[in-house]
Amino acid sequence: MDLNIISLDQWFPLLKAPLIISGPCSAESEDQVMNTARDLAKVPQVKVFRAGIWKPRTRPDGFQGVGKQGLAWLQRVKAETGLLITTEVASPLHIEQALEAGIDILWIGARTVVNPFSMQEIADSLKGVDIPVMVKNPIHPDIKLWIGALERLNNAGITRLIAVHRGFHYFERQPYRNSPMWEIPIELKRIYPNLPLICDPSHISGKRSGIAAISQKALDLEMDGLMIESHYAPDTALTDARQQLLPADLEKILQNLIVRSPGDIQFQSRLEQLRTEVDKIDWELLDILGKRMKIVEEIGDYKKENDITVLQIKRWRDIIVDRMDVGIKLGLDRDFLLKVLELIHQESIRRQMDILNWPRKEES
Ligand code: PEP
Ligand code: MN
């Protein structure tokens, strides 16, 4: 299905540069909201102030957001700074209250986008309402869920849509809080070239230090803007403290970003897509190696219980013949394959020997 979209420059005519949205993860108090907003109003690139008032928290004992009272604080931000205001909504009640309070842009969070029932309820309650809506990618890397959410809103008549790339839950061991999997937003852009797409480097990085590089990458991939969390005293933040920036530090990052001409973007995108695939495969390789070694250790325990030798030459020969055969068919070089298999085997033997020797080491 094609989306009926109004392009960003049509409904944001004064926007000449990437759309920058910033503000705290959560609205915590009127002072915190106003202090952050006043500092952000001094950063010329920032056009929209964000703050979550209904927070989707994993555990019920965490800070759940200040709720409805935060809407008045956002109204004050708008009145005093002129910034547009946006907040996360997850239910028809949130939408009703946000619309009543004159929120300029709504956003749907990653935990809501995964749920088609919630998305349909939200879309139904937005029928006949003319408001821009930002749709974060769902937590897990399923582009169809993301597209489905956009379609439901578009079917309800929302034409000012923005997709927000905030990364995906993936294997635990990785440098990011949420894996960027750049190929997914790139694919979304390929399918819907007119759909505005912005990046949320804060939730991808999970820490301040990664935000500049992720932001630059997003711009290099021709994304239309950035949503970056900021707080006037980030270390005291009640949610996502490690990833929130001081507004002054945000300004430095924004000043250093290079907005390239679209000339080499196709090349960049392809390269990025290929690199992301390699990254993903490496994580999978490491994960699989880790799992293999755990099973090898279980075999070691079992051999120990049953008094069987660690190295069984026949089994090893069978493995080599079998794996070499498969690997060569997959186009791997014979010498390379042999080296890799031997290394894995040596490490497996070492682990099983450790298991067998362990009581002796303990005794000595
Ligand atoms: C947020 O923006 O603070 C938030 C909760 O984001 P996400 O839905 O992407 O986790
Ligand atoms: Mn957050």
Side-chain angles (χ1 to χ4, degrees):
M1 175 191 129
D2 236 11
L3 296 178
N4 174 20
I5 297 288
I6 301 184
S7 69
L8 196 57
D9 50 359
Q10 268 176 287
W11 60 272
F12 229 126
L14 298 178
L15 191 72
K16 294 277 172 293
L19 173 64
I20 305 296
I21 300 169
S22 189
C25 178
S26 306
E28 298 163 8
S29 68
E30 187 161 9
D31 279 351
Q32 169 252 5
V33 167
M34 291 315 299
N35 287 340
T36 307
R38 283 188 200 112
D39 288 349
L40 281 173
K42 294 182 202 139
V43 182
Q45 294 93 333
V46 176
K47 299 287 182 276
V48 183
F49 181 82
R50 63 147 281 157
I53 60 175
W54 296 289
K55 296 304 297 177
R57 305 306 301 287
T58 308
R59 306 282 297 274
D61 50 357
F63 172 63
Q64 309 291 307
V66 295
K68 198 179 164 194
Q69 60 169 325
L71 290 168
W73 309 340
L74 290 175
Q75 285 172 326
R76 197 172 152 204
V77 168
K78 185 171 171 153
E80 288 188 23
T81 66
L83 292 167
L84 296 179
I85 47 177
T86 181
T87 198
E88 174 173 352
V89 290
S91 71
L93 181 65
H94 293 166
I95 290 175
E96 191 189 312
Q97 295 178 345
L99 292 177
E100 249 175 51
I103 296 292
D104 296 297
I105 304 174
L106 304 176
W107 99 69
I108 321 283
R111 289 161 193 79
T112 307
V113 176
V114 292
N115 185 339
F117 290 129
S118 297
M119 279 315 305
Q120 194 54 52
E121 272 183 9
I122 287 171
D124 289 344
S125 68
L126 282 171
K127 268 202 185 110
V129 181
D130 183 23
I131 190 163
V133 183
M134 300 191 281
V135 182
K136 292 221 178 177
N137 67 249
I139 300 257
H140 34 272
D142 181 349
I143 192 171
K144 290 204 182 112
L145 270 176
W146 201 3
I147 291 174
L150 291 159
E151 284 174 336
R152 285 176 204 274
L153 293 167
N154 202 221
N155 285 342
I158 301 293
T159 49
R160 290 181 292 168
L161 284 166
I162 298 181
V164 185
H165 167 230
R166 49 80 77 202
F168 302 88
H169 184 73
Y170 196 56
F171 290 106
E172 279 166 45
R173 279 163 293 161
Q174 53 173 323
Y176 303 104
R177 177 177 175 194
N178 288 292
S179 170
M181 298 187 182
W182 296 101
E183 71 279 11
I184 295 179
I186 288 171
E187 176 64 4
L188 190 74
K189 210 167 175 54
R190 190 189 65 75
I191 301 173
Y192 301 117
N194 300 327
L195 174 69
L197 172 62
I198 70 173
C199 181
D200 168 349
S202 308
H203 289 88
I204 292 176
S205 173
K207 49 185 191 291
R208 283 171 206 121
S209 60
I211 289 172
I214 298 168
S215 302
Q216 185 61 60
K217 219 170 219 180
L219 295 190
D220 289 349
L221 292 172
E222 223 182 3
M223 292 205 191
D224 303 287
L226 301 166
M227 186 200 271
I228 300 179
E229 287 185 343
S230 57
H231 192 296
Y232 84 105
D235 290 332
T236 67
L238 298 180
T239 56
D240 289 352
R242 275 157 35 90
Q243 71 193 32
Q244 302 203 57
L245 293 168
L246 277 171
D249 291 338
L250 170 73
E251 183 168 16
K252 277 183 219 138
I253 289 179
L254 295 175
Q255 276 166 352
N256 287 327
L257 286 178
I258 302 165
V259 184
R260 295 180 217 280
S261 67
D264 38 83
I265 272 163
Q266 271 207 328
F267 164 77
Q268 280 282 351
S269 307
R270 182 71 189 131
L271 191 63
E272 198 51 61
Q273 185 178 359
L274 293 172
R275 284 184 178 149
T276 310
E277 277 170 33
V278 166
D279 285 352
K280 215 162 78 182
I281 289 170
D282 283 350
W283 288 117
E284 282 170 9
L285 260 177
L286 294 177
D287 189 66
I288 285 172
L289 268 179
K291 282 189 183 133
R292 187 190 197 281
M293 290 307 163
K294 285 217 174 67
I295 296 177
V296 160
E297 283 180 355
E298 270 181 47
I299 296 176
D301 286 336
Y302 189 70
K303 283 179 180 166
K304 185 179 166 190
E305 277 163 28
N306 293 280
D307 272 340
I308 300 172
T309 55
V310 163
L311 179 64
Q312 289 163 303
I313 288 293
K314 171 149 184 347
R315 160 93 179 134
W316 173 231
R317 271 201 211 109
D318 291 348
I319 286 182
I320 287 280
V321 171
D322 180 61
R323 307 309 193 253
M324 289 293 287
D325 197 37
V326 174
I328 287 166
K329 279 196 187 115
L330 287 170
L332 296 174
D333 176 81
R334 177 181 293 275
D335 288 344
F336 166 74
L337 202 53
L338 200 58
K339 272 188 210 147
V340 171
L341 288 171
E342 270 173 358
L343 266 177
I344 293 176
H345 185 239
Q346 278 164 18
E347 174 63 5
S348 305
I349 298 275
R350 188 191 66 75
R351 285 186 180 231
Q352 294 195 353
M353 292 297 281
D354 269 3
I355 289 171
L356 281 184
N357 288 335
W358 181 68
R360 242 176 283 147
K361 272 192 210 149
E362 276 269 297
E363 281 158 18
S364 63

